[in-house]
Amino acid sequence: MAISFLDKTDLKILQFLQDNGRLTNVELAERVALSPSPCLRRLKQLEESGIIRCYAALLDPCQIALGLQAFIRVRVNKNKKSRDEFNRAVQRWPQVLNCFALTGESDYILQAFFSDINAFSYFVLETLLATPGVEDAKSSFVLKEIKSSTILPLEHLNID
């Protein structure tokens, strides 16, 4: 996706929406010094271009009894069929919020949330390790969250 059409106002819109996705168009227009109609047009263009992927409510895992967060490094058989099967399987696992293919010793890293150690154990033993092609899994548990953000940096896009 080319970002050549972005200007300073677009960047302001993106920054404000990343900070608070519930802003009304009128509130957003006021903050970026536009009238509502041009602001809405810009917003629609950002959505249609795919720069804005979606809007979501971010829940506190601890408040909904998902206090055990794990990062699971997974090694998968190197053949294409195993990788494809794993990629399809991970889409069905609601415990896994993020999955990334990696370079290095592990092939994938999963970020997953569980109610307790029993739920984690069941997932690893009965789901993850039972997936065809999965050779190994190593886990780390989050002791304390130091920083968690959904805001992507935009400084490198600054237009003078």
Side-chain angles (χ1 to χ4, degrees):
M1 168 65 219
I3 54 171
S4 58
F5 69 87
L6 294 177
D7 62 16
K8 286 183 178 186
T9 302
D10 293 321
L11 293 177
K12 286 180 186 177
I13 288 171
L14 294 172
Q15 196 63 51
F16 282 120
L17 285 178
Q18 283 193 104
D19 190 49
N20 181 356
R22 291 191 73 178
L23 288 174
T24 67
N25 184 56
V26 172
E27 292 169 327
L28 184 60
E30 287 174 5
R31 292 184 187 185
V32 298
L34 283 177
S35 62
S37 287
C39 184
L40 186 58
R41 273 194 303 278
R42 285 173 178 261
L43 183 57
K44 292 295 181 198
Q45 184 179 16
L46 292 167
E47 292 168 350
E48 290 168 5
S49 72
I51 291 173
I52 296 176
R53 293 192 306 190
C54 69
Y55 298 90
L58 302 176
L59 308 181
D60 182 335
C62 292
Q63 297 295 321
I64 57 170
L66 292 173
L68 183 63
Q69 182 178 180
F71 286 89
I72 308 166
R73 293 167 305 287
V74 181
R75 211 173 68 235
V76 175
N77 185 296
K78 301 297 184 219
N79 68 61
K80 182 172 175 16
K81 182 181 178 195
S82 292
R83 287 181 286 130
D84 290 346
E85 283 183 34
F86 180 81
N87 291 342
R88 281 191 301 276
V90 78
Q91 300 298 324
R92 297 187 303 266
W93 301 335
Q95 305 89 332
V96 176
L97 270 65
N98 294 294
C99 174
F100 302 98
L102 303 174
T103 61
E105 293 179 24
S106 300
D107 298 309
Y108 298 91
I109 190 163
L110 311 178
Q111 178 191 23
F113 287 83
F114 304 93
S115 56
D116 56 31
I117 194 70
N118 292 328
F120 166 79
S121 296
Y122 183 83
F123 171 78
V124 170
L125 296 173
E126 303 300 325
T127 303
L128 180 60
L129 293 176
T131 302
V134 172
E135 294 179 348
D136 189 34
K138 294 184 168 120
S139 304
S140 297
F141 297 108
V142 173
L143 298 175
K144 180 179 180 183
E145 189 174 275
I146 306 301
K147 179 180 179 181
S148 178
S149 178
T150 61
I151 298 174
L152 292 172
L154 300 175
E155 293 82 21
H156 65 289
L157 299 174
N158 278 341
I159 299 160
D160 295 321

